[in-house]
Amino acid sequence: MGIFELGTRMEISVEIVYAAFSMLLVAWLLIDILKRRRGGGDLRCRELEAVKQFTVLFTAFTVLPNVIISILYLGFGFYEYWELRIITSKSVFLSMTWILATLVACYSKNRTLREDNRLPLVIILWWVFYCIFDSLSVSIHLITRFSSIELPYPWPEANIADFASLPLLVLLCFNAVTFSCSTKTHGDLETPLLQEKHESLFKDSTCYRNAGIWSKLTFKWLNPLFSSGRIEKLELSHVPPIPASETAKHASSLLEDSFGKNKKETLNLPKAIAFAVWKSLTINGVFAGVNTVASYTGPLLITNFVNFLSENHDDSGHIHGLVLAFIFFFSKTVESVTQRQWYFGTQRIGIRVRAALSVLVYKKSLSVKFARSSNGKIINMINVDVERIGDFCWNIHGVWLLPFQVFLALVILYINLGAAPSIAALSSTILVMVSNTPLASKQERLHSRIMEAKDSRIKATSETLKSMRVLKLYSWEPTFLKKLLQLRETERNWLRKYLYTSSAIAFLFWASPTLVSVVTFSVCILLKTPLTTGTVLSALATFRILQEPIYNLPELISMIAQTKVSIDRIQDFLSEDDQKKQIPYQTPQASDITIEMKCGEYAWETIDQNSTKTTIKITKNMKIMKGYKVAVCGSVGSGKSSLLCSILGEIPMISGAGVKVRGTKAYVPQSAWIQTGTVRDNVLFGKDMSKEIYEDVLEGCALNQDIEIWADGDLTVVGERGMNLSGGQKQRIQLARAVYSNSDKCLMQLLSQKTVIFATHQLEFLDAADLVLVMKDGVIVQSGKYEDLIADPTGELVRQMAAHRRSINQVNPPQEDNPLTGGSSQLNQNEVTEEKFEGPTGTDRFSRKTQEEVSETGRVKWSVYSTFITSAYKGALVPIILLCQVLFQGLQMGSNYWIAWATEKSHNVTREKLIGVFVLLSGGSSIFILGRAVLLATIAVETAQRLFYGMISSIFRATISFFDATPSSRILSRSSTDQSTVDTDIPYRLAGLAFALIQLLCIVILMSQVAWQVFPIFLVILGISIWYQAYYITTARELARMVGIRKAPILHHFSESITGAATIRCFNQEERFLMRSLSIIDDYSRIVFHNSGTMEWLCIRINFLFNLGFFLVLIILVNLPKSAIDPSLAGLAATYGLNLSVLQAWVIWNLCNVENKMISVERILQFTNIPSEAPLVIEDCRPKPKWPVDGRVELIGLDVQYSASLPKVLKGITCTFPGGKKIGVVGRTGSGKSTLIQALFRVIEPSGGQILIDGLDISKIGLQDLRSRLGIIPQDPTLFQGTVRTNLDPLEKHSDQEIWEVLNKCRLADIVKRDKRLLDAPVFEDGENWSVGQRQLVCLARVLLKKRTILVLDEATASIDIETDNIIQGTIREETSRCTVITVAHRIPTVIDNDLILVLEDGKVVEYDSPVKLLKDNSSSFSKLVIEFLRRSIQE
């Protein structure tokens, strides 16, 4: 009676709690409605769309479970009344409370979205209370049902509604925390809607930096980011900033401090990195250690669990089984949580190390002036070595974890099997490791070979892309494409060997548990060690875990070796002598002397010892006074630029006292260095804007006319390397940058109050200089005032001036007008012509700015997957690979079940049969795994090759406008990073996903065989997992895309900075460029940081779900009667279930990661469908072999426009260039000269009219047939890395004798003979071991070697001194006497003796006649041009 009363009181107490919650829910609802009416306000219309998606999620995971639970309890109450004719107070109160909870949840759906408010506390408390109460009720019901245990106090009996509600209650409790965080983000709806308010999203407690322990453990701090990703496409502004510890500034400061504390020692980079991150490494190591211990708990306890299932136990035994199940669940949960923190911690350390090393390399590359590390080497250091060191953080704990894992495995085997089998297992493990080591070493060597081949290919690709315009004009792109494909073929051969070696390693990985288990169990049978199902399954679980250290050892050794190479490379670079860094001499005292040059000798360092060094010798002391204008002149290669570099401190001093410079400096290099950005940014160069000074500078540097032409004025965006500017425009911008800097010295051009040093071939300017320095063979042979030097008849200057005078004498002014007294000309110097083959002129040119990289949005399309899968052999091998995996999985499970079943005494299986069948089944599974690996490698190689060929072929066939609008870094990222991902990653990711799905399905089927109840549980878990994956992927996909997009600016900024390092140092802008570098590194780091975090966010949730599922499976197995299950099969299911959470995480991770990785395929396929030029060859319309014979060019009504939406650039041009004549093309900037030449080469196709060459319409023939029959010398001289021979004759069509002939004609023979290797002498990247003038002579030699009937000269001798120019012009006249020569004029003497002059203006023909006739007319445009030229020159 007492017990009944207590039970009654228990039920009454619970019902009182139900009633109390009902009242609280009603009270909260009424109070909040009253508050709402007083406060007013509702969702504004413009906010509804932003809320829509989140409302769906809230309804699905908060409102819907409440509705279902209400229906369940209401329905059960009706059932009780219908069947039993009773109405219990429990049903009434419970139904009423859940209906009220549903109303509050529905009301909260709008309330939490409308305001910065979380879910009501009262409803959260109700969910938590009832979840706990229901869990206890269900658990007690199961315990009392399957055992005779009597509780001291009766508990309210659980009904069917309680069982059905439990999963929904768990979901509600879990999402109560999740959505309370998410709603906080959505509280201010203007945040995701208005761009400028995005940052406020990250100032609340949901950011990582402010997150609590629970938030960090569950990665709840990422919920706002996922919410944003569901509403709109993620942009950089949506992503929160990274913690201060991961910023580039903080990380680099820590690393520099570590170096500072070890000043006494030699630079030790590994020690410094370890010292900088030791605290994080230690904490991370604790997580790794706990994770390892937790992962071995399952194999240790599986024996006890199988024994429990096998034994006959009384009712109290269920408690023992439930305790074991709970320990399994707890250990798996600890394993999951620690693994997520371990992995995320290693990513954070990697981000920190990458950022720190990137900053240090960048600082060093800017500070050390004479380090001969090439641009490519430093970029490779950032792109490969720094990344590799950062990635090693992932493996760093493997150094001590590996032996620890082996030790724990041996302990478990010793406990279960004894000493001898454990020793056998250890021996076989060591054997597998030893067998794997040579394969891993071979894999490492092959990987190095792949990287070397890839480096060569990327270097060649980079060089080719930079020179694509020249290649197309020369019609060399098929030859260079063939060269790239040959380099790729070399890379492919190494890749094939690497992947087949990887197949062997994969075979050992999957076969290792089989080998170890066969050896171990054989020893047990030989020694008659007693085996039970429990010990066998425990051993099998242990062997499976041993796979990881067996596989990781060679990989770890390989990673250590690769990382050491990278560390050594960076350490060597960082250790380069800073003593070479020349500190400019400064003095606070006022002085009229700005530069003091003492006797000394300077020489460029060179890697090539066989090459003669260019040397500057200063043979006498020299002082340059403040305000002096100093001119430096000399022939090509005399050392003019090197002299300027010695003043800047950019060339090593071998001997002497050096150069002392007082004051600030500005530098205008001969090869223009223009930053990507606006014209205004390039001119200001970090200085504050002063409108008045700025406008004066633009006017003084003749930039106003250019700015008027450009659509956006000085806010026009300049492309990579100034690709959409003409040569003159680049130089004017450089000059404006120098003038605006307000420096005391400007090493170029004219400034009235400044000291100016300029190197020039324009000798007409020498008389304006206060001091003239004449260079010859690296020595200042003459110095002094112009009048004094010109008076010396034997001097070098007189010889050069004589050549200049001969050039001037070619120009005959009109007799009617004296050039000194005639009317003023409206033309200035830069109006002669300054165009370059750079696309549209004027407004049109900049209508196609360098575009921001456009990424796809949404899911990766199925067409991308199908293209990838069917690229190799049309997908025929894919079903065979999947079949191999199914057979492997089936045989492996069969072998494990066989040995577990056969070891039971009741089956009386002989030892020979037991081990024989086991070996047979295991060996069969290994054969299929080997076949799978080999076929997969075959598919991977073929797929990668086909995708690469499609992309590179499409790029080489693209129109030139594609290269104008696409930075080379964007193409290179696809050719390097994305292609590498396709080569070695994606095929294995896709296959891994398929294999893991097959394995997971097999395990679920196995468990369902044991207990059918498992199947619906896993269906529910799988459904929730798929929802989580879908929720995750929308954000993760965009983050993955942003990783690639944000990496490119780092490489671009580094490359651009290193190229212009001398300019940056001269302007003292190192700090500003460093700050920019820190900013873009942080932008990249924040994407990587959150991309890594989102993966862990997903994994920890999926892990928990499957751990919960495994826990429920174990409870079912515990509660099923022994007669209803096969203990061996149940034990096998439990053994495989230990890997369930790891396997499902692998499935979900692969599912998400495959899509992220497939973005690389998507990006490559983007570049396989680029609009292409006309065909190279049209077989039905090929010109005769010797075409053109006469060289007659007819332009008939020629119209050219760059797109249908833009105005015409050439308008109805009609004229004829007679065969064998010399035609000069002149006109102002934007007149259409460049466009005319492009139309001739069909770089741009005419929109109307015709161009006929020898009567043949050039639009009817292939581009290769056209361009290969024409010759051109472009304005920008381009050399390729290789030899002198390959630069002159890349097609290998000419003999050495022919090459030497043209070298003599171009005055290059003596220069080439300085190197003992002659024609095989090396040419460095971009021809940097040749002066600009020498490079131009090489380009001239190329054309003379080809001997074409039609030759186009775009200022072929712009960088050559007058004397050499006269000789070269004579050579051109002699060699092209029977050719049609079209010259785009930059110097009047170049075209004055031409047969015809074509004057263009605004895309129309203004004048076209012989120069003699045009000069007779004073009003002609050409006459005015000549007068202006003579006005400048005659004063000399």
Side-chain angles (χ1 to χ4, degrees):
M1 190 68 185
I3 292 177
F4 175 77
E5 288 175 358
L6 184 60
T8 304
R9 283 198 298 272
M10 171 69 77
E11 290 178 355
I12 292 171
S13 300
V14 172
E15 289 166 7
I16 290 172
V17 173
Y18 294 161
F21 268 111
S22 297
M23 288 186 288
L24 286 172
L25 288 167
V26 171
W28 182 90
L29 200 59
L30 292 173
I31 291 169
D32 199 77
I33 290 172
L34 288 173
K35 283 183 180 178
R36 185 70 45 224
R37 286 184 177 178
R38 290 174 187 170
D42 200 351
L43 280 175
R44 288 163 289 185
C45 293
R46 67 187 181 86
E47 295 172 345
L48 291 175
E49 186 62 30
V51 175
K52 188 176 180 182
Q53 292 190 43
F54 187 75
T55 304
V56 173
L57 301 178
F58 192 96
T59 302
F61 287 91
T62 304
V63 177
L64 195 57
N66 280 279
V67 172
I68 294 172
I69 294 172
S70 300
I71 293 171
L72 284 172
Y73 281 111
L74 197 61
F76 186 75
F78 279 115
Y79 168 78
E80 283 185 319
Y81 176 75
W82 185 268
E83 291 291 330
L84 306 176
R85 296 293 174 182
I86 59 170
I87 299 176
T88 61
S89 55
K90 174 186 175 182
S91 294
V92 172
F93 283 118
L94 202 51
S95 299
M96 183 177 63
T97 309
W98 274 111
I99 290 170
L100 287 169
T102 302
L103 290 174
V104 171
C106 291
Y107 179 79
S108 300
K109 178 182 72 174
N110 292 328
R111 177 182 176 275
T112 53
L113 295 173
R114 198 163 46 220
E115 301 174 351
D116 184 10
N117 234 322
R118 297 175 184 270
L119 284 167
L121 180 61
V122 62
I123 197 172
I124 295 175
L125 289 174
W126 167 244
W127 289 341
V128 172
F129 161 75
Y130 199 72
C131 181
I132 295 171
F133 180 79
D134 195 33
S135 301
L136 288 172
S137 298
V138 170
S139 301
I140 290 171
H141 178 84
L142 289 172
I143 292 171
T144 54
R145 172 85 179 189
F146 295 105
S147 68
S148 57
I149 298 175
E150 291 188 8
L151 297 176
Y153 306 108
W155 191 269
E157 186 176 355
N159 54 44
I160 187 68
D162 293 326
F163 275 87
S165 301
L166 185 57
L168 296 171
L169 288 166
V170 173
L171 181 64
L172 280 173
C173 290
F174 184 77
N175 285 308
V177 180
T178 304
F179 280 109
S180 0
C181 177
S182 299
T183 53
K184 187 169 181 64
T185 301
H186 285 270
D188 183 4
L189 286 172
E190 293 187 7
T191 296
L193 291 171
L194 300 179
Q195 185 72 21
E196 62 269 17
K197 292 188 178 181
H198 276 305
E199 289 301 321
S200 65
L201 196 67
F202 314 125
K203 293 179 181 177
D204 58 25
S205 59
T206 58
C207 281
Y208 182 84
R209 63 180 70 176
N210 299 318
I213 295 176
W214 175 252
S215 181
K216 288 182 178 178
L217 283 176
T218 60
F219 294 88
K220 189 185 76 172
W221 53 272
L222 281 166
N223 288 350
L225 186 62
F226 282 107
S227 301
S228 297
R230 294 285 290 183
I231 293 173
E232 57 189 322
K233 180 185 175 182
L234 278 184
E235 303 291 346
L236 182 65
S237 56
H238 297 112
V239 182
I242 53 174
S245 58
E246 271 70 51
T247 59
K249 184 176 181 180
H250 182 268
S252 60
S253 297
L254 276 180
L255 191 55
E256 286 175 333
D257 290 344
S258 300
F259 284 134
K261 292 177 182 178
N262 297 288
K263 277 185 177 178
K264 297 180 181 178
E265 304 176 13
T266 308
L267 179 65
N268 190 323
L269 186 57
K271 187 175 180 181
I273 293 174
F275 192 84
V277 298
W278 72 269
K279 289 182 181 177
S280 301
L281 273 178
T282 303
I283 295 171
N284 199 244
V286 171
F287 281 121
V290 173
N291 172 264
T292 303
V293 172
S295 67
Y296 278 85
T297 304
L300 179 64
L301 294 179
I302 197 69
T303 304
N304 299 39
F305 189 77
V306 173
N307 290 341
F308 167 81
L309 294 178
S310 303
E311 294 170 357
N312 291 316
H313 44 76
D314 54 19
D315 294 332
S316 61
H318 283 93
I319 298 294
H320 176 62
L322 291 173
V323 169
L324 281 175
F326 178 77
I327 293 173
F328 275 118
F329 174 69
F330 180 76
S331 65
K332 295 301 291 182
T333 302
V334 170
E335 180 187 350
S336 299
V337 171
T338 53
Q339 187 177 57
R340 304 281 63 88
Q341 294 301 316
W342 170 20
Y343 287 177
F344 185 61
T346 56
Q347 289 284 7
R348 289 187 63 193
I349 295 169
I351 289 169
R352 200 178 306 170
V353 170
R354 285 189 203 100
L357 289 175
S358 296
V359 173
L360 261 60
V361 169
Y362 184 75
K363 281 184 177 180
K364 194 72 176 182
S365 63
L366 283 186
S367 64
V368 179
K369 300 185 178 182
F370 317 127
R372 297 303 293 165
S373 298
S374 67
N375 190 329
K377 180 180 177 182
I378 295 173
I379 294 301
N380 202 39
M381 223 176 276
I382 296 295
N383 208 22
V384 177
D385 296 317
V386 169
E387 286 293 326
R388 187 176 289 159
I389 295 170
D391 291 342
F392 181 70
C393 296
W394 186 275
N395 303 84
I396 195 167
H397 291 299
V399 176
W400 63 271
L401 275 179
L402 195 144
F404 184 52
Q405 288 172 320
V406 173
F407 170 75
L408 289 177
L410 290 175
V411 169
I412 294 172
L413 290 174
Y414 177 77
I415 292 171
N416 286 311
L417 302 176
S422 301
I423 294 171
L426 176 62
S427 303
S428 54
T429 300
I430 293 172
L431 176 64
V432 174
M433 286 182 174
V434 170
S435 303
N436 212 356
T437 302
L439 286 173
S441 300
K442 182 180 179 181
Q443 187 185 38
E444 180 189 347
R445 289 194 301 272
L446 291 171
H447 184 267
S448 299
R449 294 285 191 177
I450 290 174
M451 292 307 296
E452 289 171 8
K454 192 184 297 295
D455 285 346
S456 300
R457 176 175 62 81
I458 296 302
K459 196 171 185 180
T461 305
S462 175
E463 188 176 48
T464 302
L465 292 175
K466 285 190 291 186
S467 311
M468 186 57 75
R469 184 180 297 276
V470 172
L471 295 181
K472 286 185 176 293
L473 292 173
Y474 287 157
S475 191
W476 285 353
E477 72 268 37
T479 302
F480 277 72
L481 174 59
K482 184 179 179 181
K483 176 185 173 183
L484 274 183
L485 292 176
Q486 287 172 347
L487 291 171
R488 172 61 185 177
E489 187 60 32
T490 303
E491 182 185 359
R492 181 194 184 189
N493 290 333
W494 293 118
L495 177 65
R496 182 185 289 108
K497 293 176 182 177
Y498 173 83
L499 291 180
Y500 283 134
T501 305
S502 299
S503 300
I505 293 173
F507 167 71
L508 277 178
F509 171 73
W510 290 104
S512 58
T514 300
L515 178 63
V516 175
S517 57
V518 166
V519 172
T520 305
F521 293 142
S522 298
V523 170
C524 290
I525 291 171
L526 288 173
L527 298 178
K528 298 184 179 180
T529 302
L531 292 175
T532 64
T533 302
T535 56
V536 166
L537 292 175
S538 176
L540 288 173
T542 306
F543 297 149
R544 198 170 291 113
I545 291 183
L546 265 179
Q547 273 182 304
E548 188 176 348
I550 290 173
Y551 181 75
N552 283 349
L553 177 63
E555 185 183 8
L556 181 62
I557 294 170
S558 174
M559 278 294 296
I560 290 172
Q562 291 177 33
T563 306
K564 185 180 183 304
V565 171
S566 294
I567 285 178
D568 289 344
R569 278 161 54 90
I570 293 178
Q571 185 168 290
D572 291 343
F573 177 70
L574 296 177
S575 301
E576 286 184 1
D577 293 338
D578 278 345
Q579 64 188 17
K580 293 181 178 178
K581 193 165 120 182
Q582 189 171 333
I583 301 173
Y585 178 80
Q586 303 283 351
T587 175
Q589 301 174 358
S591 174
D592 289 334
I593 302 172
T594 55
I595 300 174
E596 288 187 58
M597 303 173 69
K598 300 291 182 71
C599 293
E601 188 174 343
Y602 301 81
W604 291 111
E605 292 180 350
T606 176
I607 302 170
D608 184 5
Q609 299 301 320
N610 295 315
S611 178
T612 305
K613 295 180 180 179
T614 304
T615 305
I616 296 295
K617 293 180 182 178
I618 299 176
T619 55
K620 65 177 181 179
N621 296 341
M622 198 175 301
K623 294 180 181 179
I624 298 176
M625 309 305 288
K626 185 176 182 180
Y628 262 31
K629 307 300 178 284
V630 182
V632 183
C633 62
S635 59
V636 172
S638 60
K640 300 182 296 298
S641 298
S642 296
L643 178 65
L644 300 186
C645 287
S646 68
I647 296 173
L648 289 174
E650 294 292 335
I651 181 171
M653 181 176 66
I654 296 175
S655 62
V659 179
K660 294 181 180 179
V661 180
R662 295 179 175 88
T664 57
K665 305 183 296 296
Y667 180 43
V668 183
Q670 183 178 12
S671 296
W673 179 70
I674 303 294
Q675 276 188 278
T676 303
T678 65
V679 173
R680 180 183 294 179
D681 291 339
N682 272 279
V683 173
L684 297 179
F685 204 56
K687 295 275 187 178
D688 293 332
M689 176 68 163
S690 172
K691 189 73 174 176
E692 184 179 351
I693 298 174
Y694 178 72
E695 289 177 354
D696 289 343
V697 168
L698 294 184
E699 183 178 356
C701 297
L703 268 173
N704 281 333
Q705 181 184 346
D706 298 311
I707 289 173
E708 288 171 5
I709 294 173
W710 299 330
D712 296 328
D714 63 346
L715 295 180
T716 296
V717 175
V718 177
E720 186 181 19
R721 304 184 309 276
M723 64 184 176
N724 44 3
L725 296 175
S726 71
Q729 288 166 341
K730 291 179 189 177
Q731 292 297 347
R732 289 196 286 280
I733 290 174
Q734 281 205 123
L735 181 57
R737 177 171 65 203
V739 175
Y740 192 85
S741 70
N742 197 31
S743 299
D744 297 326
K745 287 158 289 299
C746 177
L747 301 177
M748 205 77 178
Q749 291 302 333
L750 193 61
L751 289 168
S752 60
Q753 301 299 320
K754 307 295 180 183
T755 304
V756 181
I757 306 173
F758 60 96
T760 183
H761 291 306
Q762 306 294 327
L763 302 186
E764 59 267 26
F765 296 118
L766 296 186
D767 62 335
D770 300 303
L771 177 65
V772 177
L773 304 179
V774 184
M775 302 290 298
K776 185 178 181 181
D777 297 331
V779 179
I780 301 175
V781 293
Q782 283 184 289
S783 63
K785 289 188 174 296
Y786 173 74
E787 295 80 6
D788 298 334
L789 298 183
I790 204 69
D792 181 3
T794 61
E796 176 68 17
L797 182 60
V798 171
R799 189 178 63 82
Q800 293 186 21
M801 289 303 298
H804 176 63
R805 193 170 291 108
R806 287 194 298 273
S807 176
I808 296 299
N809 289 339
Q810 296 177 46
V811 183
N812 295 314
Q815 300 298 319
E816 295 84 349
D817 188 10
N818 186 294
L820 295 178
T821 60
S824 61
S825 170
Q826 298 302 312
L827 298 175
N828 60 38
Q829 182 185 354
N830 68 294
E831 287 175 332
V832 177
T833 173
E834 290 205 347
E835 282 189 284
K836 178 184 174 185
F837 289 126
E838 294 294 352
T841 58
T843 301
D844 309 337
R845 174 178 295 173
F846 291 98
S847 63
R848 297 184 289 112
K849 297 176 185 175
T850 301
Q851 302 167 359
E852 281 290 322
E853 183 164 4
V854 178
S855 63
E856 300 286 342
T857 57
R859 298 188 66 90
V860 175
K861 296 179 179 62
W862 286 112
S863 59
V864 176
Y865 288 92
S866 63
T867 301
F868 183 81
I869 292 171
T870 58
S871 290
Y873 312 109
K874 297 184 179 180
L877 295 182
V878 174
I880 301 174
I881 291 174
L882 295 178
L883 180 62
C884 286
Q885 173 65 19
V886 171
L887 293 173
F888 157 72
Q889 196 63 49
L891 289 173
Q892 189 187 55
M893 282 186 165
S895 65
N896 291 343
Y897 177 68
W898 163 257
I899 198 162
W901 176 85
T903 49
E904 291 183 12
K905 294 180 181 178
S906 58
H907 294 121
N908 297 320
V909 178
T910 62
R911 292 184 299 173
E912 293 78 9
K913 183 179 179 181
L914 187 151
I915 199 67
V917 173
F918 181 68
V919 170
L920 188 64
L921 292 172
S922 300
S925 68
S926 300
I927 290 172
F928 285 114
I929 207 69
L930 179 61
R932 183 196 80 179
V934 171
L935 290 175
L936 183 57
T938 304
I939 284 182
V941 173
E942 184 65 21
T943 301
Q945 187 66 10
R946 287 182 179 273
L947 288 175
F948 174 80
Y949 182 79
M951 175 183 67
I952 204 70
S953 299
S954 178
I955 289 171
F956 268 72
R957 294 291 300 120
T959 60
I960 203 66
S961 60
F962 169 77
F963 299 97
D964 287 344
T966 308
S968 59
S969 58
R970 204 172 290 171
I971 302 172
L972 287 173
S973 67
R974 285 166 170 80
S975 186
S976 57
T977 308
D978 291 325
Q979 187 62 46
S980 294
T981 304
V982 170
D983 284 347
T984 58
D985 201 354
I986 294 180
Y988 294 92
R989 299 282 185 199
L990 265 176
L993 173 61
F995 301 158
L997 279 170
I998 291 171
Q999 193 174 353
L1000 183 64
L1001 185 63
C1002 290
I1003 292 175
V1004 172
I1005 292 171
L1006 174 64
M1007 288 182 169
S1008 301
Q1009 283 293 104
V1010 178
W1012 64 267
Q1013 297 92 337
V1014 171
F1015 192 71
I1017 290 175
F1018 277 106
L1019 281 181
V1020 173
I1021 290 173
L1022 193 62
I1024 297 173
S1025 299
I1026 290 172
W1027 180 88
Y1028 266 122
Q1029 186 269 340
Y1031 183 75
Y1032 154 87
I1033 198 63
T1034 54
T1035 299
R1037 185 194 302 118
E1038 300 308 322
L1039 286 173
R1041 287 185 172 122
M1042 289 167 70
V1043 167
I1045 291 172
R1046 289 293 153 190
K1047 180 71 174 176
I1050 297 178
L1051 301 179
H1052 177 73
H1053 179 70
F1054 274 50
S1055 178
E1056 191 173 64
S1057 300
I1058 295 163
T1059 304
T1063 304
I1064 294 169
R1065 284 193 292 265
C1066 183
F1067 283 82
N1068 296 319
Q1069 291 287 315
E1070 294 97 326
E1071 186 64 27
R1072 182 170 70 89
F1073 275 77
L1074 176 61
M1075 295 307 294
R1076 169 66 181 155
S1077 177
L1078 294 176
S1079 173
I1080 57 177
I1081 290 172
D1082 283 345
D1083 285 346
Y1084 174 68
S1085 295
R1086 71 199 277 200
I1087 300 300
V1088 175
F1089 178 87
H1090 288 89
N1091 191 41
S1092 304
T1094 52
M1095 180 63 72
E1096 306 307 331
W1097 178 94
L1098 177 68
C1099 285
I1100 197 167
R1101 282 155 178 74
I1102 305 298
N1103 278 349
F1104 177 78
L1105 282 173
F1106 274 81
N1107 288 338
L1108 183 63
F1110 180 54
F1111 179 53
L1112 294 175
V1113 169
L1114 294 180
I1115 289 177
I1116 291 171
L1117 292 177
V1118 166
N1119 287 286
L1120 285 175
K1122 185 175 183 290
S1123 59
I1125 59 172
D1126 178 355
S1128 299
L1129 197 60
L1132 185 64
T1135 304
Y1136 274 97
L1138 289 175
N1139 288 333
L1140 199 59
S1141 62
V1142 176
L1143 185 60
Q1144 56 74 30
W1146 179 247
V1147 169
I1148 297 297
W1149 186 82
N1150 256 330
L1151 195 62
C1152 301
N1153 206 36
V1154 158
E1155 182 157 11
N1156 292 345
K1157 294 292 183 181
M1158 284 299 289
I1159 291 170
S1160 291
V1161 179
E1162 180 184 71
R1163 282 160 55 84
I1164 287 174
L1165 291 177
Q1166 278 179 343
F1167 278 15
T1168 58
N1169 298 307
I1170 305 167
S1172 65
E1173 293 184 307
L1176 292 175
V1177 176
I1178 300 174
E1179 293 295 343
D1180 296 337
C1181 191
R1182 299 204 67 174
K1184 295 178 181 179
K1186 294 185 178 181
W1187 177 88
V1189 178
D1190 298 328
R1192 177 185 174 87
V1193 180
E1194 298 175 72
L1195 308 178
I1196 305 172
L1198 183 65
D1199 293 331
V1200 174
Q1201 59 187 137
Y1202 285 93
S1203 73
S1205 61
L1206 295 174
K1208 292 179 181 178
V1209 183
L1210 294 182
K1211 305 164 186 175
I1213 301 289
T1214 300
C1215 62
T1216 300
F1217 300 161
K1221 299 295 184 181
K1222 309 293 184 290
I1223 295 92
V1225 183
V1226 298
R1228 298 180 180 184
T1229 299
S1231 61
K1233 304 178 303 298
S1234 175
T1235 305
L1236 177 62
I1237 301 305
Q1238 292 186 82
L1240 181 62
F1241 281 82
R1242 289 179 63 191
V1243 172
I1244 178 170
E1245 298 286 354
S1247 56
Q1250 290 179 306
I1251 301 178
L1252 305 179
I1253 297 180
D1254 282 4
L1256 177 62
D1257 188 346
I1258 64 171
S1259 64
K1260 306 296 184 185
I1261 63 174
L1263 292 182
Q1264 187 171 352
D1265 283 337
L1266 170 66
R1267 293 169 180 170
S1268 63
R1269 310 294 178 90
L1270 306 178
I1272 184 170
I1273 305 177
Q1275 183 182 350
D1276 281 349
T1278 302
L1279 265 62
F1280 305 95
Q1281 186 172 20
T1283 64
V1284 174
R1285 188 195 311 275
T1286 58
N1287 268 276
L1288 290 172
D1289 183 27
L1291 305 184
E1292 300 178 357
K1293 291 185 176 181
H1294 301 278
S1295 65
D1296 286 6
Q1297 182 180 353
E1298 291 176 300
I1299 294 174
W1300 279 113
E1301 284 178 5
V1302 296
L1303 288 176
N1304 280 303
K1305 291 172 183 176
C1306 297
R1307 291 296 192 90
L1308 279 172
D1310 291 338
I1311 297 171
V1312 173
K1313 288 176 181 177
R1314 292 178 187 175
D1315 194 296
K1316 297 176 181 178
R1317 289 164 291 186
L1318 301 176
L1319 295 179
D1320 293 322
V1323 176
F1324 295 167
E1325 186 178 358
D1326 295 327
E1328 54 184 32
N1329 57 331
W1330 293 65
S1331 72
V1332 177
Q1334 289 168 342
R1335 293 177 215 169
Q1336 211 156 29
L1337 292 177
V1338 172
C1339 293
L1340 176 62
R1342 282 177 187 156
V1343 172
L1344 296 182
L1345 194 62
K1346 292 171 72 174
K1347 299 178 181 177
R1348 295 295 180 243
T1349 307
I1350 297 175
L1351 175 61
V1352 177
L1353 306 178
D1354 184 14
E1355 186 54 5
T1357 56
S1359 298
I1360 298 173
D1361 61 273
I1362 299 295
E1363 182 182 7
T1364 307
D1365 186 18
N1366 288 338
I1367 296 170
I1368 295 303
Q1369 290 298 338
T1371 303
I1372 292 175
R1373 294 185 190 101
E1374 181 182 342
E1375 293 295 318
T1376 61
S1377 58
R1378 296 182 180 180
C1379 301
T1380 303
V1381 180
I1382 305 169
T1383 304
V1384 177
H1386 289 246
R1387 290 176 178 172
I1388 293 300
T1390 307
V1391 295
I1392 197 65
D1393 63 342
N1394 282 189
D1395 300 303
L1396 293 165
I1397 299 293
L1398 175 66
V1399 182
L1400 296 176
E1401 185 175 330
D1402 193 27
K1404 298 176 182 177
V1405 176
V1406 178
E1407 297 168 357
Y1408 182 49
D1409 212 330
S1410 68
V1412 175
K1413 290 183 180 180
L1414 291 176
L1415 287 173
K1416 287 179 180 178
D1417 182 2
N1418 290 346
S1419 63
S1420 72
S1421 298
F1422 184 68
S1423 181
K1424 293 177 181 178
L1425 192 64
V1426 172
I1427 291 170
E1428 178 64 21
F1429 174 78
L1430 290 175
R1431 188 184 303 281
R1432 295 196 324 265
S1433 306
I1434 201 70
Q1435 298 176 11
E1436 57 87 16

